[in-house]
């Protein structure tokens, strides 16, 4: 996944919808604008005002939904992470998928706008006390959910000693591959690494 | 490795040394102060002035050594990375080491002040055009050197198809483990993952 697609950017027109639905759409526009903003400009360049403008929402309306900058950006990363999780589950719902396809899809979670945004938030939280507890908690939650999906889609049996750590290591590798893709397009190298480790993991998981 | 140790902080007294040696020591003090500063305060909080004060060096002297902020911080990350590489090679020079010990030492490269500093620089470079070319080039160089050391210490035969990618994936995993350690102390989980992946890697490398 690269930048957010048009539908992910939340271009649903707001006018003509009933009030509650309008509020939900506005909220979604704000969350998606916040993720793009964070991915492109980093934490220092990401304020509620910038996001409101990007989402085409008044600053007052933005503050009504998210009273603080920290609340907006942690909610944004969580929202997009949930969307991705749902999409990933749906992708493999129809039929059991071969493990290499699952590994590739898991790695893809770490190479787009969501990962860039989460990384910016993560690194900012390491230097900013007021951001740290929320981001630490968010990362733990998203991490647990990703692990659950990985175990399920890989058909891994966690009652076997070591399997849990094998899957965790795969997700750590995926995170490292995501980091290697932040400054340059690392796709060609990543594809080779993923192909090789898919085989190794398939053997390790039995 | 956690924070830099006393000797790494460069507490060598400068007075009483000949001029050239004094200049080298000052340079080293600046580089080590720059890495600690970056790791603790991030790119936004890291300026030449802050580092000069931390190193006990005048701002003019700091600017004599490093005319720009970008030059100081990229040189700092490179210097400490080289120190770590040398230390790693020396650690295993006496006798061939068992692979799990090598894997643990490689992962350790990504869990201390150097990784935190490099991560800050990396993420800042993704949003700042004037920093990006230097950091991209630095990361490529440090990455190649780390790969070379890993291949050598693991006794991996890169003429065998797939071995190169196996080693690369291990270093990607180490990088991901480093990222997982930025906000919380992930040592206990990391040790379990490293133990499991050491076994998998050992089998894969033959």
């Amino acid at each position: 996944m690269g930048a957010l697609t048009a539908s992910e950017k939340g271009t649903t027109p707001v006018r003509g919808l009933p009030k509650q639905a309008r509020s939900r759409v506005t909220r979604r526009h704000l969350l998606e604008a916040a993720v793009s903003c964070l991915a492109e400009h980093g934490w220092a360049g990401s304020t509620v005002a910038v996001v409101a403008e990007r989402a085409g929402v008044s600053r007052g309306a933005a503050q009504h939904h998210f009273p603080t900058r920290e609340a907006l950006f942690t909610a944004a990363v969580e929202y997009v992470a949930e969307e991705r999780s749902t999409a990933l589950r749906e992708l493999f719902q129809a039929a059991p998928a071969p493990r290499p396809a699952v590994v590739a899809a898991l790695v893809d979670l770490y190479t787009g706008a969501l990962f860039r945004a989460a990384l910016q938030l993560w690194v900012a939280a390491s230097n900013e006390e007021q951001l740290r507890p929320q981001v630490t908690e968010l990362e733990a939650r998203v991490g647990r959910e990703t692990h659950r999906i990985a175990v399920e889609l890989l058909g891994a049996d966690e009652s076997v000693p070591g399997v849990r750590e094998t899957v965790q290591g795969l997700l750590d590798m995926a995170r490292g591959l995501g980091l290697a893709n932040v400054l340059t397009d690392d796709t060609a190298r990543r594809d080779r690494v993923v192909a090789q480790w898919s085989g190794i993991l398939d053997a390790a998981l039995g």
Side-chain angles (χ1 to χ4, degrees), chain A:
Chain A
M1 67 195 179
L4 297 176
T5 64
S7 80
E8 285 171 322
K9 274 182 187 151
T11 45
T12 321
V14 172
R15 276 176 305 173
L17 291 173
K19 198 178 168 195
Q20 272 207 331
R22 223 160 51 216
S23 171
R24 273 200 306 277
V25 171
T26 298
R27 190 183 148 87
R28 186 160 58 77
H29 284 189
L30 284 167
L31 294 173
E32 284 160 354
V35 163
S36 313
C37 185
L38 204 47
E40 283 170 35
H41 304 300
W43 175 248
S46 295
T47 61
V48 176
V50 168
V51 171
E53 200 189 326
R54 194 172 186 132
V57 167
S58 77
R59 212 160 139 172
Q63 263 153 354
H64 167 74
H65 282 276
F66 302 101
T68 68
R69 187 181 174 209
E70 289 76 17
L72 169 60
F73 288 96
T74 51
V77 167
E78 179 154 32
Y79 167 77
V80 179
E82 278 168 5
E83 294 281 293
R84 296 283 173 201
S85 296
T86 305
L88 191 58
R89 281 188 201 273
E90 281 170 0
L91 190 63
F92 295 108
Q93 208 166 31
R99 279 199 185 128
V102 172
V103 171
L106 288 169
V107 169
D108 273 355
L109 287 178
Y110 296 86
T111 55
L114 168 62
F115 178 75
R116 277 164 209 270
L119 180 64
Q120 297 284 350
L121 204 60
W122 209 332
V123 168
S126 77
N127 308 124
E128 292 199 23
E129 283 311 319
Q130 78 207 87
L131 194 56
R132 185 190 277 253
Q134 290 158 78
V135 175
T136 302
E137 208 260 316
L138 168 66
E139 287 301 335
R141 213 152 21 145
V142 171
R144 276 194 302 270
E145 174 63 7
T146 309
H147 183 85
R148 250 196 305 273
I149 295 176
V151 167
E152 182 187 321
L153 295 180
L154 290 167
D157 179 2
E158 286 202 307
S159 70
V160 176
V163 163
R164 184 177 173 73
E165 288 73 20
T166 300
V167 175
Q168 286 183 336
L170 167 65
L171 295 177
D172 287 312
M173 189 184 72
R175 200 183 301 116
L177 287 166
L179 197 47
N181 200 54
V182 165
L183 289 186
T184 53
D185 179 358
D186 191 41
T187 311
R189 186 190 76 90
R190 183 173 63 249
D191 287 349
R192 291 193 297 272
V193 171
V194 168
Q196 174 68 5
W197 274 92
S198 288
I200 294 172
L201 288 168
D202 202 26
L205 290 175

